[in-house]
Amino acid sequence: MTHLTVSLEQGSDFTVLSNRFIDEYMVLANDAQIKIYLYLLRMSGANLPFGIADIADHFNFMEKDVLRALCYWEKNHLLSLDFDSAHNVKAIRILPLPSKESFVSSDATSPLSQIQQAEIVPLAPKLMVSNALPESSEHVEKPNYNADDLVAFKNNNETSQIIFIAESYTGKPLSASDMQTLLYLYDKLGFSIDLIDYLIQYCVGRGKKQFSYIQKVAINWYDSHITTVEQAKNHTGKYDKSVYTIMKALGKNADPTTPEIAFIRKWSQEWGFSLDLILKACERTVLNTDNHRFEYTNGILSKWHAANVKSLQDVDTLEEKHHTTTKTSSKNAGNPKGGFNDFSQRSYDYEELEKALLKSN
């Protein structure tokens, strides 16, 4: 067999990219973020002035998309951004990939080392934009967009896709309020079109088409530092369908909190209750209380667990036995042998007794 020899005639017309970037960082980044990072690597050795608008024009992006991408890489510690007094980006520094095992050569003169440590030339002042990068600690409040903002959002070739996606999933034309929400997700929360697509698909799939609900989920994702569809899928995939079924049975429409998840896992995993038994306990809870429903349900299931209940039939058997015991006790209390009959006897209602016992837990 003839063996091939592959060689690369290197010249100035190439850009060095770390294998670790390909293996670790490209997986979670979206297309825009990857393109902009590669473009910065390419321009780091070009010694040409360029700005946010140049990057946006080169890829046919909006300037805000470029800012979001820069913010994303800064959060991942691949870039360092310098700002002027007006909070405009004036320079970008490409940093070595953070890790204990570095792929960067220790030789300071290696091409990779030079590129990763190079400071990009200051962005052209005439190309500076006034938009500050999105806050990373908490979500930005929703502004009151005017009619011109909504028209520009609707007529833009890229963002018009968001409106089409939303109308397709919800099955109705969007109101001005709906479009304000979408613009907020794109403009202030920095969601990409792909992430908004998945967000709406996820909410509608749960039977929630209201944009107020979609906005709440979006803020939750933002606060959880979710920037890609892959991260959103990992986030929403933490809970299987049964968790949301139980939440719904208890009248809860939001995502489960950590204590609520702990309750559900104890019922299903530690105590081994089937979904139908848990839902039976939820049904009783909703009929008896509007407050502390998880605690009330936990009280019911705790007693069933102590009684070794394994099925709905066991619940019926347990209740029948309890009613029989209560009736017998009441009858004997009414005709005591050799006892005192000076006090009026009471008959206990099982449901009321169960309520009192549960509240005392």
Side-chain angles (χ1 to χ4, degrees), residues 271-274 276-277 304-305 308-312 314-315:
W271 290 349
F273 283 118
S274 61
D276 57 350
L277 275 171
W304 289 358
H305 178 64
N308 199 33
V309 169
K310 301 295 183 183
S311 65
L312 292 175
D314 289 344
V315 174

Side-chain angles (χ1 to χ4, degrees), residues 24 45 51 55 103 122 148 200 204 232 247 295 314 336 340 357:
E24 301 175 17
I55 302 175
F103 280 71
D148 291 337
I200 300 174
V204 172
M247 292 288 291
E295 291 81 358
D314 289 344
F340 294 96
L357 289 173

Side-chain angles (χ1 to χ4, degrees), residues 253-274:
N253 293 320
D255 285 334
T257 63
T258 300
E260 290 169 347
I261 284 294
F263 271 123
I264 294 173
R265 285 176 177 167
K266 178 171 66 174
W267 302 338
S268 60
Q269 298 176 15
E270 182 181 338
W271 290 349
F273 283 118
S274 61

